[in-house]
Amino acid sequence: MSPISESYSHVSIPFIVSSHGDRSSLKNTNHQFPEETSRGLFASNSKLLRFCLNLTLRSNPSLFLDSSPPSGFSQFIGESANIYFIHSNFAFSFSNAAGMKEKKSATASTLGRILATCSKQAKDYGSCVASKVHEVERDICLKEFLALKNCMQHTRHLSALLNMISSSQSSVGSGALSHVYIQNPPLRCNIPESRGLFYDDANRLLICTTSSQIFSWQTAPFNPDVSPSVDSISEGPILSIRFSLDKKAIAVQRSDCEIQLFHRETKQILSHKCKAGSESILGFFWSDSPLCDLAIVKTSGMDLFACDSMLNLRLVETKKVNVNWYIYTHETRLVLLASGLQCKTITGFQLSTAGVVRLPRFEMTMAKPESNSKPILSSGDVHLVTVYGRIYCLQVDREAMLLHSYRFYRDAVVQQGSLPIYSSKLSVSVVDNLLLVHQIDAKVVIIYDLFVDSRAPVSAPLPLLWRGNQGSGTSSEAAIKENESSESSTSNGNIVMYEDAWTFLVPDLILDQTNKVLWRVHLDLEASWLLLAISASSSDRTSLLEFLQRRKLEANKAKQLCLGIAKDIILERRPATQVTQAIDVLVTAYSYSVKAGTFKEIKNEQTTAATPAVGASPDNERHVPSESSIDEEVEMNLPSGSEVNMFCADEQPESQLSSPAISPDELYKFVFASVEELMVEESEYLVAIITEFLRSISAEKLKVDLNVYVMTIRLLAYSKRFAELSLFTTNKIIEPSKEVALQLLESGRQNLRVRKLGLDMLRQLSLHHDYISSLVQDGYYLEALRYAQKHKVTSVRSSLFLEAAFASNDLQHLAAILRVLSELIPGFKETSEYFTFYGLLSETGSSVAL
Amino acid sequence: MASTSSGDESLRLCMFDLRRGQTEGQELDKILFFHPADLDFSTQLSVIGLSEGLITFTRLFSPEAACEVIEAERHSHVFYEAEPDIWMVMVVEKNKETGAIWRIDALRRVLKEVHSLFVMFHGSIRALIEIEPTGGLTRSQLYPFITDYLSSKPFSPNLAHGIFILFPSFNTFNITNCQHFKSGLALKTAAVVNCSNLFVGKKLQLPNFRETLRERGTVKMLTLARDTALEVQSLVQVLDSCAGNLRCHSMVLFQDLLVSTTLSADDTVNLFTFAVMRLTSQALSSGASSWSYLRKGTGSSEVSSRSTSAPLDSLHSGSGGNHMHNVIRPLQNDKWTKGKDGFLMTDIWGLETGGSPDSAIPTVWLQQTQERVYLLAYQYKRLTLLLLMPTTSIVNGDLSVSAVKQQFIEDASLRVLKIEEKISRGWGGENAYHVKGYRYLVVDNDMEVSRASPSGKVTTLAKETLLALNKLREEVDVEKSRAKRQEKDLEICIRAKNNAWVIARVTRGKELYMALEKASDTLLDAADAVGTFSNRYCSGAFLMG
């Protein structure tokens, strides 16, 4: 069988159970990750992963379709889509089964068998999905899925497991697993007589207005229980409302020609009006650029005002553009002004702390419809997002059913390619630098990672889930408590997914205007990892690791997953080149994060060799990775305050890790050391991998735990590769140290040459005491004594030499040693030892002169 | 310069099997090899008879280790028991005037080396005899092999040049490719005699006192920086997995220095010796530089091959001709060329086009694992990579050699290029291991590794110094053989006639020989100089009280 199946024996189901069973302890101990638990966690994941991969790629490569493993988006949308669907369901159910402590040790293979039996149904389902991908929607191919399920239920062995599937999926056919969910409870703004809900993205405030009052909730960090602060303002219509960046003033747009400013302390009111008739105010925003404090966008252009503490506005500059509509996000500090008949000519300005930058004017791409009408771009079709510190503009092209992306540079706007869309209504969120595209009509979310060049989605389109209170942990096992069905009513009120009244706020909030609640969009890293792993071809672990290493929000989880993957690929005996790539990814990521100062070691570690943990407090870390600085792109000089808010938002204490980077020590401890025992028979393979690891470490000029060397020696000696061991030592691939030398001595019990390497190393390190003791142990007491004499080492017990000489029955030696020792050690002649051996000498009546 | 002894008188080298020819009239059967081959059988037998008698006699007293050497008035007889009951004896003339002053251990190492190399290519002699009890096969392989070995070019290319110029008759040697070998005809003793006639006019390379700062049967290592070593190791791992699941062995050389090996020490030494003789870029280029020579000589060699083949054929037909042996001469000179793909090619094992494509791939035996492996050599500039692939991997039909080559080029060629660059950048050149003021030889018997002053520097030593050093080494050899198993510490300092110091230090398997010509008068200063050397270049291994 393939090596994969062998590795099953190492990862046993009880681990999975224990991992789930220990969930509470896992949560409570915060950073303390009991090794057992974490291992269990990996085990369960790897188990699932391997199972899925096994199904897809190994045991039944043609189980569903004859298509090759998918890699690109087209393929994904093509025939192989079913693989994702089916597998995501199974994988999930399976994890539930384990969570329910159904000890089915051989589940993987049994399930494989069942799938083999039901291959026809599976195939039907697959081709159905494939044929309907263009109408991606929930309950896709329900009939076929039911048939498949039915078939499986009639296969004996696993009825229990299948019950589990059913119970976990109350509405069959809809993927109960999802990578994106909104978390209960939401932030509620139950203000009676509320007239409107607004979101101030600069201050991250949810604002609810009544006729005379303003309630504002801090949304970052996201806390449903936060109480609003209240301001009172004069009555009047409110078209839009924003707090000033210092929150001392509130600006309210009263009409299309009037903006009122309220000073929150002095209650001073100031009105700003524009020329009625000739132009009208489209909106306004506060700015922290040195030039101006307030920008007002009008149909005739944009006015920039400086505002003093008395709220006196002084016009600084006017940018004359005909504006049909505009969009602005404080996150990007970017304002896009749309003009032209189709509203697709865009003029952009960035009002950052570095000043005001005018972007080159550009045209959005709009496909021509068949009819002669010209579509008009609306502001709702354009989204500004920040991913990995890069600023993108995403534009919906309904005619072509494409989402065009543009990337902003300081002096250019470059179209980056397009993503297909499956819904005429569309919105986007950004969570942890991943782009979530909500296909509102189809009620599914597709995740993209814009970091990679490929425009392939990270995982299958799956519905947005609503997750209950209990599942604060985002791991998939919590999903059993989820309210799976999006339609189902709950005591919490009627939540209809993707309701018309939903407004998607930058970057990751959803405002439900009807229910007056604010949701935050979460990403289930584990689930998306799982899906990604399934979709990724087996060799694609590298990109998987890269993906995980880019995650910041749930750094800890990403880190654990990475460790799990690294361990798995070794246990699965992947070709060394693949493992090398994976290790390279991890080491480079670590090296980078150390340089960037974001790396923080797992707490409660007892590392023997402390790696300099360049600990940066999470407060001042930049969430913008280095990539942002590579390109000459628009700077986003975010005020540090808002940034803090962005990242303290996680409820999970364990995710205080700021970076998923894995230090070499951790790699050793959680990966190499933990597989050593399992793989001792394949020490050659392991040595190959460790060498690559060392090479990678050395290329990044990092340090590595001594134990890696000790382990390497052990492995080489185990496989009797003494030639290489001596090469490793002489070339200093294994760096000399006392521990290494002692291991060489230890391994040298079988091989004198190796032992000599250890002795030589001790001597080179000037570890005189150990060197002399080892020499004596080997019977070279004369050499040892000579060495001691030369280096004036007196710490070695003199009896060692004497006993060795006596044992060798060489009285001449004994006499010589006595003489040397009396010279070497002051007062030796007075010791009892001296008398004992002197006595022995004279007793035997030797003629040796002392 | 290497000593020159013309084939006739001064050198006799024989190999015989004590288990054969025990009945009267069958004595000739003992002889597996005799040089010079044209010596009449009675002389041959008298040499072997004397040796046999001595062996039998000395075994009475020392069954484990019989006779090692006989020092006669005019000759030294060096004994080496290559395999149980298979002995090699070398008789060299003592001639102080011609400078032919031998160190017995060095001569024995020659015997040992030629035997090890033979075993590497052909398997053990005992096994050969068992395959074909008449001994014809063994003889037909041994004769050209030892002949080729003895007529090997010296290691240094400059010297090789000298030889070529001095002895243009060398190129007649090209006949070694005699058609009768290729056509797989059997060669009986008498037949081979003709080929070994090629000795005539050839210079034999025996280690004399001028080579005293060199140790045969050891490997010279290249010292690598850590990051380079890691790169190399990474490459080695790629090489290891070239043949899929079966682990390959590999060896990497830079010039004539060993960079990396995954073989056991003994196998490494054998293969290293062979590679330096025939495969490294230097070995190839020295062949290339004499290329025009050989081409010029092709005509004559054809003639001579025709002239020699006639009696061979007649002899062969007379002897029945039912032994079809393919005589392979792995040590033949100038038989390797670099192909377009970077792999070295040879037709020693036959032509790749004829028959099964893999039968023409060189194979060697590994002592450690007792398996036969394919030898693939790849060369990029000064870097030579030897890939040893288990023959079973091909026999099973999983792989073909060309597929492995292709795999290698895909996986490794880029790395090879980078590593060559990296090593070249860090390499100090021919005199990299020269230490000013010292002429030295360091031998690590455990690792079978040695390092010595570059030969160009050694030649600057006065003859007296070299002779003294040779004598000193002889002393140490004696001391070592007395101590036998037990590793003893030893130090000898000798003041030579020309006031140079020659010093030997032996400690726990490591040996240091040194000549100091410009050292001051006192022994203390000389000892200090050695101490400094030991600390700086041998990590303090040769500490003496």
Side-chain angles (χ1 to χ4, degrees):
Chain A
M1 262 300 275
S2 64
I4 280 191
S5 60
E6 285 168 33
S7 56
Y8 281 138
S9 57
H10 302 307
V11 188
S12 56
I13 283 291
F15 267 140
I16 299 184
V17 173
S18 86
S19 88
H20 291 263
D22 290 347
R23 251 195 66 75
S24 53
S25 71
L26 190 150
K27 264 164 63 188
N28 296 338
T29 45
N30 299 353
H31 306 283
Q32 239 163 359
F33 237 75
E35 207 180 344
E36 176 83 349
T37 314
S38 55
R39 197 189 300 158
L41 207 63
F42 300 150
S44 70
N45 291 330
S46 62
K47 181 91 187 168
L48 284 174
L49 174 66
R50 239 178 267 139
F51 149 58
C52 298
L53 280 171
N54 213 9
L55 285 183
T56 334
L57 303 162
R58 301 229 170 206
S59 334
N60 297 297
S62 58
L63 179 58
F64 299 113
L65 295 162
D66 298 324
S67 64
S68 55
S71 57
F73 188 71
S74 55
Q75 280 168 307
F76 163 68
I77 283 302
E79 286 193 313
S80 36
N82 57 319
I83 294 176
Y84 298 83
F85 280 88
I86 292 176
H87 277 211
S88 56
N89 287 336
F90 287 161
F92 175 61
S93 329
F94 191 40
S95 106
N96 281 338
M100 297 290 280
K101 308 203 177 190
E102 283 287 330
K103 297 190 182 180
K104 296 255 169 210
S105 55
T107 35
S109 55
T110 326
L111 205 62
R113 226 168 27 240
I114 289 174
L115 279 175
T117 334
C118 303
S119 63
K120 189 195 171 296
Q121 284 80 357
K123 215 163 184 167
D124 288 347
Y125 177 60
S127 39
C128 172
V129 174
S131 64
K132 290 190 179 168
V133 270
H134 294 294
E135 315 143 35
V136 174
E137 58 178 354
R138 300 189 57 252
D139 293 352
I140 188 170
C141 303
L142 184 58
K143 202 179 90 198
E144 284 78 7
F145 182 80
L146 286 172
L148 173 62
K149 190 183 161 218
N150 197 33
C151 164
M152 288 168 64
Q153 271 166 341
H154 286 92
T155 315
R156 274 183 299 156
H157 310 284
L158 265 187
S159 47
L161 180 72
L162 283 166
N163 287 339
M164 224 59 66
I165 296 179
S166 314
S167 70
S168 71
Q169 291 176 261
S170 57
S171 93
V172 180
S174 69
L177 171 67
S178 188
H179 32 51
V180 183
Y181 64 96
I182 51 178
Q183 179 77 54
N184 197 44
L187 178 66
R188 295 183 178 278
C189 25
N190 284 333
I191 304 298
E193 299 169 28
S194 84
R195 292 192 175 174
L197 278 173
F198 299 92
Y199 181 67
D200 177 3
D201 70 327
N203 295 300
R204 300 180 163 249
L205 291 174
L206 179 66
I207 300 166
C208 177
T209 57
T210 62
S211 55
S212 61
Q213 277 183 314
I214 298 172
F215 296 84
S216 58
W217 289 264
Q218 192 69 48
T219 64
F222 191 82
N223 177 7
D225 302 327
V226 74
S227 44
S229 58
V230 188
D231 292 272
S232 52
I233 56 162
S234 57
E235 281 199 41
I238 297 176
L239 298 184
S240 71
I241 178 167
R242 283 175 185 272
F243 282 62
S244 68
L245 296 180
D246 56 8
K247 293 193 193 165
K248 282 185 178 153
I250 304 172
V252 179
Q253 186 184 354
R254 291 295 191 182
S255 69
D256 62 1
C257 61
E258 185 185 5
I259 285 174
Q260 271 186 349
L261 301 172
F262 296 86
H263 200 289
R264 289 174 79 186
E265 281 168 21
T266 61
K267 310 290 178 197
Q268 187 188 5
I269 303 176
L270 204 124
S271 238
H272 173 83
K273 288 184 179 168
C274 69
K275 288 170 268 174
S278 64
E279 55 182 18
S280 59
I281 296 176
L282 294 169
F284 70 96
F285 54 89
W286 296 90
S287 163
D288 53 4
S289 84
L291 187 70
C292 63
D293 300 307
L294 185 71
I296 298 177
V297 185
K298 300 179 295 185
T299 47
S300 63
M302 183 166 67
D303 288 342
L304 304 178
F305 295 95
C307 178
D308 63 15
S309 56
M310 303 304 291
L311 297 181
N312 292 317
L313 293 182
R314 178 171 55 88
L315 183 65
V316 185
E317 205 177 327
T318 301
K319 309 279 186 192
K320 287 249 178 256
V321 194
N322 281 327
V323 184
N324 295 329
W325 49 259
Y326 84 102
I327 58 165
Y328 173 81
T329 63
H330 189 76
E331 188 186 44
T332 58
R333 307 289 198 277
L334 202 63
V335 57
L336 297 184
L337 310 172
S339 55
L341 278 176
Q342 282 181 279
C343 304
K344 62 174 191 177
T345 310
I346 305 292
T347 315
F349 295 95
Q350 193 188 33
L351 290 79
S352 70
T353 46
V356 177
V357 180
R358 185 190 187 111
L359 298 173
R361 174 182 298 219
F362 69 101
E363 297 266 322
M364 298 271 190
T365 318
M366 301 274 276
K368 272 194 181 153
E370 280 163 26
S371 63
N372 239 351
S373 67
K374 283 188 176 171
I376 294 169
L377 193 65
S378 80
S379 63
D381 291 339
V382 179
H383 308 274
L384 282 171
V385 293
T386 315
V387 180
Y388 300 113
R390 307 163 178 176
I391 297 172
Y392 289 92
C393 172
L394 300 169
Q395 173 230 338
V396 180
D397 185 347
R398 281 215 177 71
E399 210 51 53
M401 286 302 265
L402 286 174
L403 184 65
H404 301 301
S405 67
Y406 305 85
R407 184 162 168 203
F408 290 112
Y409 297 85
R410 183 172 286 278
D411 49 1
V413 180
V414 180
Q415 187 160 1
Q416 298 274 306
S418 310
L419 308 169
I421 54 176
Y422 308 99
S423 158
S424 58
K425 279 179 73 184
L426 195 91
S427 196
V428 296
S429 309
V430 173
V431 181
D432 199 7
N433 289 321
L434 292 176
L435 181 68
L436 274 45
V437 180
H438 304 275
Q439 319 272 350
I440 293 172
D441 293 346
K443 300 195 174 181
V444 289
V445 191
I446 305 181
I447 302 180
Y448 296 92
D449 188 359
L450 292 183
F451 191 86
V452 284
D453 287 334
S454 95
R455 290 283 168 263
V458 168
S459 65
L462 284 171
L464 183 68
L465 280 191
W466 182 86
R467 197 171 272 188
N469 209 2
Q470 307 91 323
S472 60
T474 53
S475 45
S476 55
E477 63 263 38
I480 202 153
K481 295 160 187 164
E482 278 172 17
N483 191 335
E484 317 79 8
S485 164
S486 48
E487 270 93 3
S488 70
S489 306
T490 67
S491 55
N492 288 305
N494 296 325
I495 301 154
V496 182
M497 287 291 162
Y498 293 117
E499 208 190 8
D500 289 343
W502 276 20
T503 319
F504 292 85
L505 306 172
V506 177
D508 58 353
L509 297 173
I510 296 172
L511 180 60
D512 183 345
Q513 299 272 15
T514 329
N515 296 304
K516 303 214 175 354
V517 291
L518 184 74
W519 302 98
R520 179 149 178 254
V521 180
H522 292 264
L523 188 70
D524 188 334
L525 192 57
E526 224 160 284
S528 32
W529 165 77
L530 191 62
L531 297 178
L532 189 63
I534 296 164
S535 64
S537 64
S538 58
S539 62
D540 229 13
R541 301 296 182 82
T542 320
S543 48
L544 188 58
L545 283 171
E546 279 170 346
F547 171 79
L548 286 171
Q549 286 291 310
R550 284 196 293 268
R551 305 281 69 82
K552 307 280 172 193
L553 216 51
E554 290 184 86
N556 193 48
K557 189 150 286 164
K559 183 169 181 164
Q560 301 303 338
L561 288 173
C562 285
L563 285 169
I565 295 171
K567 195 171 153 180
D568 278 350
I569 51 177
I570 295 174
L571 282 176
E572 287 165 17
R573 283 81 168 162
R574 298 267 169 189
T577 43
Q578 278 180 32
V579 183
T580 309
Q581 283 175 351
I583 287 172
D584 276 346
V585 167
L586 295 181
V587 172
T588 341
Y590 168 76
S591 168
Y592 165 68
S593 85
V594 166
K595 280 175 204 149
T598 51
F599 177 74
K600 224 173 144 191
E601 230 171 326
I602 294 181
K603 284 176 190 167
N604 300 320
E605 258 193 317
Q606 291 136 353
T607 30
T608 45
T611 317
V614 188
S617 73
D619 306 53
N620 50 26
E621 107 231 5
R622 298 263 302 161
H623 95 115
V624 184
S626 73
E627 286 76 24
S628 65
S629 57
I630 293 170
D631 306 297
E632 267 271 324
E633 67 191 59
V634 177
E635 290 173 7
M636 357 170 349
N637 298 299
L638 305 187
S640 59
S642 69
E643 225 176 333
V644 174
N645 294 343
M646 268 157 78
F647 286 93
C648 297
D650 213 285
E651 33 318 60
Q652 282 178 295
E654 65 197 47
S655 59
Q656 276 177 14
L657 272 182
S658 53
S659 153
I662 298 168
S663 75
D665 289 351
E666 288 163 338
L667 258 183
Y668 164 71
K669 209 157 75 170
F670 296 116
V671 179
F672 297 126
S674 63
V675 300
E676 184 188 0
E677 211 168 296
L678 299 174
M679 297 194 65
V680 79
E681 293 303 325
E682 279 127 311
S683 54
E684 291 184 3
Y685 174 76
L686 211 49
V687 167
I689 283 161
I690 291 175
T691 317
E692 294 296 346
F693 170 62
L694 292 177
R695 190 186 52 75
S696 195
I697 293 281
S698 140
E700 295 289 342
K701 304 212 175 356
L702 298 171
K703 282 274 163 232
V704 65
D705 196 321
L706 287 176
N707 289 320
V708 177
Y709 298 133
V710 174
M711 178 175 162
T712 314
I713 296 170
R714 222 167 24 229
L715 290 169
L716 282 170
Y718 182 86
S719 49
K720 305 225 180 319
R721 290 160 68 188
F722 298 117
E724 277 146 295
L725 182 50
S726 66
L727 273 177
F728 271 68
T729 321
T730 46
N731 286 330
K732 306 240 177 344
I733 291 178
I734 293 174
E735 289 175 304
S737 68
K738 186 175 174 179
E739 286 80 359
V740 167
L742 293 179
Q743 179 62 46
L744 282 170
L745 289 177
E746 170 70 31
S747 301
R749 285 177 197 283
Q750 317 147 33
N751 187 303
L752 186 64
R753 293 173 186 184
V754 175
R755 193 167 168 83
K756 280 186 178 175
L757 284 175
L759 277 172
D760 286 348
M761 190 175 285
L762 284 176
R763 194 186 59 236
Q764 283 164 42
L765 294 167
S766 301
L767 295 166
H768 300 317
H769 180 89
D770 299 272
Y771 178 63
I772 293 169
S773 314
S774 311
L775 268 184
V776 176
Q777 237 177 57
D778 291 2
Y780 296 96
Y781 55 92
L782 281 184
E783 288 82 353
L785 188 63
R786 198 179 295 145
Y787 188 87
Q789 199 182 9
K790 175 117 180 168
H791 291 273
K792 311 258 177 303
V793 182
T794 54
S795 61
V796 182
R797 275 190 305 126
S798 48
S799 59
L800 269 183
F801 302 106
L802 292 164
E803 276 158 15
F806 188 69
S808 72
N809 237 341
D810 193 329
L811 294 177
Q812 243 172 349
H813 282 179
L814 188 58
I817 288 170
L818 273 179
R819 197 165 52 226
V820 170
L821 284 176
S822 9
E823 280 168 23
L824 187 65
I825 306 167
F828 179 70
K829 283 195 174 176
E830 271 75 57
T831 59
S832 58
E833 250 166 23
Y834 179 80
F835 287 114
T836 318
F837 284 95
Y838 188 76
L840 280 170
L841 263 183
S842 11
E843 255 174 54
T844 46
S846 90
S847 55
V848 183
L850 262 182
Chain B
M1 289 297 126
S3 104
T4 56
S5 59
S6 72
D8 322 319
E9 284 297 319
S10 54
L11 172 79
R12 279 168 195 178
L13 201 161
C14 59
M15 184 187 275
F16 54 91
D17 181 1
L18 287 183
R19 297 182 195 169
R20 300 170 68 86
Q22 291 301 329
T23 47
E24 224 167 291
Q26 300 276 304
E27 286 89 352
L28 268 181
D29 206 27
K30 284 179 206 194
I31 309 173
L32 298 176
F33 174 82
F34 201 96
H35 169 82
D38 51 355
L39 217 60
D40 57 284
F41 287 133
S42 62
T43 322
Q44 288 190 19
L45 281 177
S46 77
V47 172
I48 287 170
L50 173 67
S51 306
E52 192 182 351
L54 273 164
I55 291 164
T56 323
F57 177 66
T58 48
R59 266 188 178 165
L60 293 175
F61 312 103
S62 164
E64 292 299 305
C67 188
E68 287 180 345
V69 66
I70 312 170
E71 295 284 4
E73 196 183 343
R74 285 175 48 220
H75 289 95
S76 299
H77 299 239
V78 185
F79 288 73
Y80 173 63
E81 188 173 15
E83 286 169 36
D85 283 333
I86 291 179
W87 284 80
M88 295 174 82
V89 176
M90 186 191 255
V91 185
V92 289
E93 203 177 11
K94 288 179 173 175
N95 188 345
K96 299 239 155 92
E97 282 148 33
T98 59
I101 293 158
W102 312 111
R103 185 165 63 87
I104 301 304
D105 196 57
L107 293 176
R108 192 175 296 114
R109 275 176 180 270
V110 172
L111 297 178
K112 194 169 176 241
E113 185 171 277
V114 67
H115 174 254
S116 302
L117 286 175
F118 184 85
V119 171
M120 178 168 85
F121 286 109
H122 297 290
S124 76
I125 292 170
R126 184 60 70 200
L128 274 181
I129 294 174
E130 272 162 19
I131 289 170
E132 204 258 0
T134 67
L137 172 67
T138 316
R139 287 184 196 105
S140 64
Q141 302 283 20
L142 268 174
Y143 270 85
F145 190 89
I146 299 180
T147 311
D148 287 340
Y149 174 82
L150 289 175
S151 57
S152 283
K153 290 173 232 168
F155 296 151
S156 154
N158 328 345
L159 293 181
H161 245 69
I163 298 291
F164 276 115
I165 292 155
L166 277 168
F167 308 100
S169 63
F170 181 83
N171 53 38
T172 57
F173 206 68
N174 226 16
I175 334 168
T176 47
N177 204 7
C178 326
Q179 286 90 342
H180 45 263
F181 285 162
K182 268 202 184 155
S183 56
L185 296 185
L187 289 178
K188 294 293 270 183
T189 321
V192 181
V193 169
N194 275 298
C195 259
S196 57
N197 268 344
L198 303 168
F199 261 119
V200 181
K202 276 283 312 137
K203 296 298 149 188
L204 300 181
Q205 307 297 322
L206 288 183
N208 70 353
F209 70 94
R210 294 195 185 274
E211 274 180 53
T212 191
L213 283 181
R214 234 185 270 174
E215 186 76 339
R216 206 173 278 257
T218 57
V219 162
K220 294 196 192 77
M221 298 280 302
L222 179 72
T223 311
L224 293 176
R226 181 169 188 262
D227 58 331
T228 319
L230 276 165
E231 292 287 342
V232 170
Q233 193 56 36
S234 167
L235 170 70
V236 165
Q237 278 155 11
V238 173
L239 300 183
D240 279 3
S241 53
C242 255
N245 292 330
L246 279 164
R247 184 169 176 246
C248 293
H249 281 287
S250 69
M251 202 162 118
V252 182
L253 290 97
F254 180 79
Q255 302 259 62
D256 54 353
L257 300 170
L258 183 73
V259 175
S260 146
T261 176
T262 61
L263 296 169
S264 71
D266 288 340
D267 286 323
T268 301
V269 167
N270 291 338
L271 204 59
F272 176 82
T273 310
F274 173 68
V276 169
M277 277 165 78
R278 294 290 180 263
L279 300 181
T280 59
S281 48
Q282 285 168 311
L284 285 189
S285 65
S286 71
S289 65
S290 64
W291 175 237
S292 59
Y293 238 147
L294 290 172
R295 254 220 309 245
K296 225 188 288 166
T298 340
S300 70
S301 76
E302 267 171 25
V303 170
S304 53
S305 81
R306 214 174 296 133
S307 63
T308 49
S309 62
L312 278 172
D313 281 345
S314 60
L315 267 170
H316 160 71
S317 50
S319 68
N322 37 1
H323 309 298
M324 300 290 281
H325 304 307
N326 194 6
V327 174
I328 291 164
R329 301 177 52 188
L331 294 186
Q332 239 176 316
N333 267 309
D334 303 319
K335 276 293 182 181
W336 290 83
T337 49
K338 194 172 154 185
K340 280 205 183 87
D341 55 357
F343 281 94
L344 302 184
M345 302 182 302
T346 181
D347 57 359
I348 290 175
W349 277 263
L351 288 169
E352 290 204 27
T353 46
S356 129
D358 295 337
S359 65
I361 311 288
T363 54
V364 294
W365 277 98
L366 294 186
Q367 276 181 27
Q368 189 192 25
T369 51
Q370 281 302 313
E371 64 177 337
R372 194 169 258 292
V373 292
Y374 284 114
L375 170 67
L376 296 181
Y378 180 86
Q379 198 162 78
Y380 175 76
K381 289 189 178 168
R382 284 180 283 186
L383 209 60
T384 309
L385 288 91
L386 305 183
L387 186 63
L388 302 161
M389 194 172 42
T391 44
T392 48
S393 63
I394 309 292
V395 171
N396 295 346
D398 304 335
L399 276 170
S400 76
V401 170
S402 56
V404 172
K405 282 184 176 177
Q406 194 54 42
Q407 184 72 31
F408 173 91
I409 287 169
E410 273 169 28
D411 293 350
S413 54
L414 204 67
R415 285 163 182 252
V416 172
L417 189 140
K418 280 188 189 151
I419 286 171
E420 203 276 342
E421 221 168 73
K422 215 165 180 178
I423 295 180
S424 296
R425 225 181 295 136
W427 193 52
E430 294 285 345
N431 287 338
Y433 301 123
H434 175 56
V435 181
K436 214 177 157 218
Y438 293 91
R439 300 292 180 271
Y440 68 93
L441 167 70
V442 184
V443 183
D444 184 336
N445 287 314
D446 294 321
M447 305 295 169
E448 297 182 45
V449 168
S450 70
R451 174 163 294 173
S453 295
S455 53
K457 297 285 176 185
V458 174
T459 51
T460 64
L461 286 178
K463 188 179 176 187
E464 285 87 357
T465 318
L466 286 169
L467 283 171
L469 202 55
N470 204 44
K471 186 94 188 90
L472 173 71
R473 289 207 63 183
E474 193 125 38
E475 292 285 333
V476 173
D477 291 340
V478 171
E479 278 299 318
K480 276 198 308 192
S481 74
R482 257 186 222 148
K484 288 289 171 205
R485 301 273 151 75
Q486 233 225 315
E487 289 176 326
K488 266 182 88 173
D489 277 14
L490 187 71
E491 179 171 24
I492 306 176
C493 294
I494 296 177
R495 193 80 189 254
K497 278 181 205 150
N498 62 347
N499 278 344
W501 285 102
V502 288
I503 299 162
R505 282 189 180 183
V506 179
T507 177
R508 313 227 305 115
K510 293 196 176 78
E511 296 166 28
L512 169 69
Y513 302 97
M514 186 173 276
L516 299 167
E517 283 194 325
K518 286 170 194 137
S520 73
D521 286 341
T522 68
L523 176 62
L524 214 58
D525 286 346
D528 274 353
V530 178
T532 316
F533 181 89
S534 156
N535 282 334
R536 198 166 296 167
Y537 303 101
C538 311
S539 65
F542 298 99
L543 168 114
M544 294 285 164

